Structures are given as structure tokens and as C-alpha cells.
Amino acid sequence: MEAEVDKLELMFQKADSDLDYLQYRLEYEIKTNHPHSAGEKNAGTILKELSAIKSRYQALCARFKEVSVEQKETKSCICALLNKTMTMIQDLQKQTNLELTLLTEEEKAVTEQLKSHLPDLI
């Protein structure tokens, strides 16, 4: 789960970097292509550049939606596997007539923390 968070953080950093680059590129294009209008803004050129920015922004949003879906799927898989594992352990304990031991305080804390992050866990 931590790897997904790190990956998401890197994607946000890349998005921030991309936006900085777009701003730099927009300013550069205006200065180089329209040096005579230093104080003026050419509306046509700005609209074309804004269209390109909008397209890149939409692509970025689509990537984040994919990440969100993958994160939810991963979370569901983790919950299902943990629930299956817990059930298997309980079944094995019953079959072998082993007593169920009480959890230590540390184990209880970890269990509660896990349940707070994965509410689908039993």
C-alpha cells in the first residue's frame, strides 16, 4: 500500500513539474513569437496555447482516475486476502484443537490500525 502512495506522490510531483514547464513554455513562446507585443497579449496565440494546456490537463486527470481505480481494486484485494487468511487460520486452529491465544497489546494496536485503513476487513 505504501508503494502505491509513493507512486501517487511521484505522479503529483510530476504533474506539478509539468505545470511549471507549461508556464515556462507559454511565457517563452509569447516572448519569442511575439517580441513586438511585449506588453500586449495576442488572444489567438494564447487561446491556442490554452487549448494545448487543457488537453494535457485532461490527460493528467485521466491518469489520476486510473490510479484511483487501481488503488480501490488493490485495497479490495488486500481485504479479501486478509479475510481469507484469517478464516483459514481460525479453521486450522479448530481442526488442530489449538487454543486461541489473546492478542498482545501491540497486536491489538496493529489490528485496529489495519481496520481503520481497511474498513472491509472483518
Side-chain angles (χ1 to χ4, degrees):
M1 189 75 146
E2 191 174 322
E4 286 86 12
V5 172
D6 291 341
K7 184 178 176 181
L8 190 58
E9 185 178 345
L10 286 173
M11 290 179 73
F12 276 111
Q13 289 174 352
K14 182 179 181 328
D16 189 42
S17 176
D18 288 348
L19 289 173
D20 287 342
Y21 174 76
L22 287 172
Q23 180 183 359
Y24 165 78
R25 191 72 185 153
L26 183 61
E27 290 170 356
Y28 175 79
E29 289 293 326
I30 290 172
K31 287 178 186 176
T32 57
N33 292 332
H34 306 285
H36 57 281
S37 60
E40 301 173 19
K41 293 182 180 178
N42 183 327
T45 303
I46 291 174
L47 286 175
K48 287 179 186 176
E49 292 167 352
L50 285 176
S51 177
I53 291 171
K54 182 179 177 184
S55 174
R56 289 181 181 175
Y57 174 76
Q58 289 172 341
L60 185 61
C61 287
R63 277 196 267 161
F64 283 119
K65 285 180 185 176
E66 291 172 12
V67 168
S68 177
V69 168
E70 287 179 23
Q71 183 181 22
K72 288 176 184 174
E73 289 173 359
T74 300
K75 186 176 177 182
S76 294
C77 288
I78 290 170
C79 286
L81 288 171
L82 282 172
N83 283 330
K84 185 176 180 179
T85 302
M86 290 169 58
T87 303
M88 287 173 60
I89 290 171
Q90 290 170 352
D91 289 345
L92 285 172
Q93 287 174 332
K94 287 177 186 175
Q95 289 176 4
T96 58
N97 293 325
L98 290 176
E99 269 186 43
L100 300 177
T101 57
L102 297 176
L103 298 176
T104 65
E105 290 302 315
E106 182 180 3
E107 291 170 332
K108 287 179 186 176
V110 169
T111 302
E112 289 305 313
Q113 185 179 20
L114 187 59
K115 284 182 180 180
S116 71
H117 291 291
L118 303 169
D120 297 336
L121 198 61
I122 48 175

